[in-house]
Amino acid sequence: VQLQASGGGLVQPGGSLSLSCAASGSIISINDMGWYRQAPGKQRELVATITSGGSTNYADSVKGRFTISRDNAKKAVYLQMNSLKPEDTAVYYCNAGGWCLIDGFTTQVVCDGEDHWGRGTLVTVSS
């Protein structure tokens, strides 16, 4: 069971990039999902979150430029980033704030409220 992010890369200022993150394994439902980022020498910070019902929350620095969405059936979360700035350069991590899965040994449904993290994908905004 893991989260796998993709879509990072190099983009010029003002450009756009789209990130995707999907959960694999026997997961049947996921609580809140989100994107966080960590720039060199800085702490990890929240970018955007989305509840299972679709309510969203954004960091002030990305409001109006980034859009978070999710597909519950695909167990995936997405981040559309527009009007990118050099200060958006960071490693972006997807997060799942707890999930329910089917235990492979007991076949019982097991739920937790723990934070689960993907490996991160690098976004570089530079000319």
Side-chain angles (χ1 to χ4, degrees), residues 6 14 19 36 38 47 50 61-62 74 76 78 80-81 95 99 106 109 111 119 125:
S6 61
L19 304 182
Y36 292 72
Q38 187 166 17
V47 176
I50 185 168
S61 59
V62 306
K74 294 183 178 179
Y78 310 97
Q80 177 63 41
M81 303 182 291
N95 169 271
W99 55 39
T106 67
V109 174
C111 299
R119 275 193 179 183
V125 184

Side-chain angles (χ1 to χ4, degrees), residues 2-121:
Q2 62 180 353
L3 292 170
Q4 190 153 7
S6 61
L10 173 64
V11 63
Q12 291 187 340
S16 298
L17 209 57
S18 181
L19 304 182
S20 300
C21 177
S24 63
S26 58
I27 295 170
I28 56 176
S29 65
I30 304 176
N31 297 342
D32 294 358
M33 300 187 78
W35 290 94
Y36 292 72
R37 67 186 181 187
Q38 187 166 17
K42 295 188 177 181
Q43 290 187 330
R44 190 174 298 187
E45 64 177 5
L46 178 147
V47 176
T49 61
I50 185 168
T51 68
S52 57
S55 296
T56 58
N57 178 54
Y58 295 92
D60 288 343
S61 59
V62 306
K63 280 181 182 177
R65 300 188 298 121
F66 291 11
T67 302
I68 188 171
S69 60
R70 65 187 285 175
D71 185 327
N72 290 330
K74 294 183 178 179
K75 296 172 290 186
V77 63
Y78 310 97
L79 187 68
Q80 177 63 41
M81 303 182 291
N82 299 327
S83 302
L84 282 159
K85 305 175 181 179
E87 51 263 43
D88 294 318
T89 295
V91 176
Y92 284 70
Y93 298 89
C94 64
N95 169 271
W99 55 39
C100 294
L101 53 80
I102 298 175
D103 184 277
F105 293 100
T106 67
T107 70
Q108 298 295 309
V109 174
V110 178
C111 299
D112 71 44
E114 300 175 4
D115 277 324
H116 302 277
W117 296 93
R119 275 193 179 183
T121 183

